[in-house]
């Protein structure tokens, strides 16, 4: 597998048209993402050298940019070529590909300039620790509930991740792998960087319905399609922390980890305390649909 032997010269990053050694790549200090969090991002899983769920990720990226009035930095076909070039240059078969687009560099002012600067496009890659991921899938993870202090447009995948960061940090301190964010009415919105799901006593899968309160996860979307095709009973609605604690199974979904079973919430065991059968089945259905072998 010489093709996938890690590039001996190290990781390569892409910034505004140039492929650079990761350690030397940078953006201008007045980039609006650095100054104001004025940018968006996407993350796709790469397996066997292939970006997973690529089209829906690029659809969401275009939507996030449209919502903020930032132009696409290049056409979709060109972007796909650059993504492939990054996979080839980094020689990473199984990893994560990060796309970041900012409004660009401009004299600092909250209001975006009338003549828009060239958007900044950053692409980075890193290998995924497949053994650690497999262990999490096998054993399940713990989550810790945290107040959802994020802004009102969580449906846009922006780089303003400070509230998410604080929640995930608090979860880690509570020995949990992920935070579940809870709104003012006591309902779980989603995870700090994942969507949240439970399975009730009757075997119905429940996940929060789409609104400004959650990110429309690409993995969530493909997973829902896979469940409907397999005639698994699923509803998109709010659920409370109490419902989650009483659930038969729970899991989280994201491009970085597909579906990871949740076996502990706030220190309390969920179901039998081991990954549930339905969560596993859903994960397998998703893998088949997403073309992950
Ligand atoms: N929710 C949030 C807040 C996220 O940051 C993410 C991924 O980063 C997700 C959900 C899962 O989305 P996806 O399945 O597209 O990775």
């Amino acid at each position: 597998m010489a093709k996938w032997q890690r590039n001996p010269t190290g990781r390569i990053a892409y910034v505004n048209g140039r492929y650079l050694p990761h350690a030397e790549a940078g953006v201008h200090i007045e980039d609006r993402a650095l100054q104001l969090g004025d940018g968006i991002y996407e993350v796709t899983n790469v397996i066997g050298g292939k970006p997973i769920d690529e089209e829906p990720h690029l659809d969401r990226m275009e939507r996030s940019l449209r919502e903020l009035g930032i132009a696409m930095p290049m056409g979709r076909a060109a972007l796909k070529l650059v993504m492939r070039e990054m996979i080839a240059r980094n020689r990473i078969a199984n990893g994560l590909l990060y796309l970041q687009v900012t409004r660009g560099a401009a004299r600092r002012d909250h209001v975006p300039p009338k003549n828009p600067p060239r958007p900044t496009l950053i692409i980075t890659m890193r290998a995924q620790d497949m053994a650690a991921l497999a262990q999490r899938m096998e054993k399940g993870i713990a989550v810790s509930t945290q107040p959802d202090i994020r802004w009102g447009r969580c449906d846009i995948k922006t780089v303003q991740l400070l509230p998410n960061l604080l929640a995930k940090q608090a979860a880690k301190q509570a020995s949990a792998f992920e935070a579940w964010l809870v709104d003012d009415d006591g309902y779980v919105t989603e995870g700090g960087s994942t969507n949240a799901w439970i399975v009730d006593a009757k075997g119905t899968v429940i996940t929060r319905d789409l609104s400004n309160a959650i990110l429309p996860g690409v993995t969530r979307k493909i997973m829902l399609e896979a469940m409907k095709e397999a005639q698994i009973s699923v509803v998109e609605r709010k659920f409370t922390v109490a419902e989650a604690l009483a659930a038969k199974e729970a899991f989280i979904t994201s491009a970085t980890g597909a579906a990871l079973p949740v076996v502990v919430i706030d220190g309390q065991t969920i179901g039998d305390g081991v990954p549930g059968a339905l969560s596993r089945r859903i994960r397998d259905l998703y893998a088949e649909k997403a073309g992950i072998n």
Side-chain angles (χ1 to χ4, degrees), residues 8-39:
T9 57
R11 289 164 71 194
I12 302 294
Y14 174 93
V15 184
N16 290 337
R18 295 170 71 202
Y19 295 91
L20 300 160
H22 191 93
E24 288 165 32
V27 294
H28 195 276
I29 52 168
E30 287 220 287
D31 193 280
R32 287 182 58 91
L34 174 62
Q35 297 282 345
L36 301 149
D38 191 4

Side-chain angles (χ1 to χ4, degrees), residues 224-258:
L224 279 173
E225 286 170 12
M227 280 185 237
K228 282 173 191 164
E229 280 163 22
Q231 297 186 334
I232 293 171
S233 156
V234 51
V235 291
E236 294 174 68
R237 68 157 173 85
K238 295 176 178 189
F239 61 87
T240 61
V241 175
E243 271 183 281
L245 290 171
K248 206 156 91 175
E249 297 183 31
F251 57 99
I252 56 171
T253 60
S254 70
T256 55

Side-chain angles (χ1 to χ4, degrees), residues 40-57:
I40 63 96
Y41 76 111
E42 269 306 321
V43 188
T44 75
N45 197 358
V46 172
I47 298 196
K50 196 178 87 169
I52 303 299
D53 299 333
E54 183 178 30
E55 296 296 341
H57 277 289

Side-chain angles (χ1 to χ4, degrees), residues 47 287 291-293:
I47 298 196
I292 304 169
N293 309 311

